[in-house]
Amino acid sequence: MANKVKYGLKNVYYAVAHIATNGTATYDTPVAWPGAVDLSLDAEGETSKFYADNIAYAQFAANAGYSGSFESALIPEGFKTSVLGEVTDTDGVLYEDAGANAVPFALLFQFEGDDKATRHVLYNVVASRPSVTGQTTEESIEAQTETVNLTCSSIYNAALAIDIVKARCPETATTAYSSWFSAVHQATT
């Protein structure tokens, strides 16, 4: 049976991407990102029309990836150093490097559903530095979260000879599903 609804973001992982000059990528082993709260991504790209013979003769839709945000309990220190380019000194203090460029990564995650859990991967993601927020403790303690803004674009996949933005894996694809968080899934022919 197919899902009628989805809910329950969990199993979030990131894997640093190494993008070659031909546009393909290899990935480090995925690292768990615990504390997932919310993932909100909007599709990027426009639909354009070509008019001929007094009608919309053809329509074109551009898939320019996604942009949005990921909210979690805390951003892992490993993510801050390996992706955002923060530097740790010998005392263990983290420094934000003003000249650091964000490193692309793959973002893997899972949504539960009423019948099946579906696993996803975004292949070429860049994160912005998080905002710094906080508030004083009042009569009750309210947990604070951290959010990074994400831009997700395509990466070239040589096996399919296309630019891919994301992939999703249902439980029925048993081999890929069982190893989904062990390595970033690469398309095969």
Side-chain angles (χ1 to χ4, degrees), residues 69-105:
S69 62
F70 173 58
E71 178 184 6
S72 66
L74 288 173
I75 299 170
E77 285 189 18
F79 182 85
K80 290 178 180 180
T81 56
S82 65
V83 174
L84 298 179
E86 291 189 7
V87 177
T88 306
D89 72 6
T90 56
D91 290 330
V93 177
L94 282 171
Y95 294 89
E96 186 175 306
D97 179 0
N101 291 319
V103 172
F105 62 98

Side-chain angles (χ1 to χ4, degrees), residues 121-135:
V121 60
L122 294 159
Y123 286 99
N124 189 7
V125 182
V126 176
S128 66
R129 294 176 301 126
S131 298
V132 178
T133 60
Q135 67 188 89

